[in-house]
Amino acid sequence: MIIRETCVAIWDALHAAVMAQPHKEQWKEIADVFQKTCQFPNCAGAIDGKHIRIKKPVRSGSQYYNYKKYFSFVLFAMCDANYSFRYIDVGSYGSRSDSAVFAHSEFGKMLQDKALDLPEHTTLPGTTSPAMPFVFVGDEAFALGENLMRPYSSRGLSLARRVFNYRLTRARRVVECAFGILANKWRFLHTPIHLKLETAISADKAACVLHNFVRARDGYNFDDSLTHSLQSHRPSVVRGHRQGAAVREQFTAYFMSPHGALPWQLEAI
């Protein structure tokens, strides 16, 4: 009971202070950091989902039994380029795919409904047209959309598409870093959580807001680790739509242009 009440109190006390939904100007600030550190313009965040190991919840059947053959719930997160979580959704069934968790999350619904207060479309650095939307970057588990970029399929890629995948990965890896920092600091996440499901979810939420609190207090300039024991979801086959495909093609062309290319990108792929 002490663990549960303490974790709930930590979440209630810190959530609004360290994980409030960004407004338009803050989205621009997040995108500026992504451009500076990852060289991906108009990027408002990186998204991913991880399995959190738990003991089998009572009367849960196979809902929390994932493809890795253990019981888990899902931590879905969107983070900025400073490895701070800007949104989390905790507690979805471990049997669900990333795309399903995303679609049913409050963040996914707000993105679909254009309710995130993202900035208006703007041109990419060094260009005068076209005006491009602000986007979130994820892996192949997510559906392509106007505001959500995912990599191209790995089959028969052209040089330009391979460059796009590399540039997207540079931005997307920050959420992997964030999970690594989280798990390595709050080490109960390295092993199955032997608590009731509701308490385990509260503990995970408390760790996430404490992660942000410590990041803000200690600063962002220290070595971070990608190494962690959190398991990614298995990618599922999801379809995008034409508008998202057109936005991705514009980014692809920009990354091959004199204004958007990086000196080392061809060597890196």
Side-chain angles (χ1 to χ4, degrees), residues 40-114:
F40 198 110
N42 286 27
C43 181
I47 62 174
D48 199 6
K50 294 295 180 184
H51 289 288
I52 306 299
R53 288 175 176 262
I54 54 173
K55 68 177 183 179
K56 183 181 184 299
V58 178
R59 293 186 294 276
S60 64
S62 61
Q63 291 175 321
Y64 290 94
Y65 195 64
N66 65 46
Y67 77 103
K68 289 284 190 178
K69 311 300 183 185
Y70 61 81
F71 292 94
S72 67
F73 60 78
V74 177
L75 164 59
F76 168 80
M78 185 274 289
C79 76
D80 60 28
N82 288 321
Y83 312 131
S84 294
F85 298 114
R86 293 306 185 113
Y87 173 86
I88 59 171
D89 182 275
V90 187
S92 293
Y93 299 137
S95 58
R96 278 186 171 179
S97 65
D98 269 353
S99 57
V101 172
F102 174 73
H104 288 88
S105 69
E106 181 183 359
F107 178 81
K109 293 174 182 177
M110 292 180 71
L111 182 62
Q112 179 69 28
D113 296 338
K114 308 291 186 184

Side-chain angles (χ1 to χ4, degrees), residues 13 24 42 75 84 97 135 137-138 145 147 151 178 181 200 221 226:
K24 189 169 296 185
N42 286 27
L75 164 59
S84 294
S97 65
V135 299
V137 294
N147 300 109
I181 300 164
N221 297 319
L226 276 170

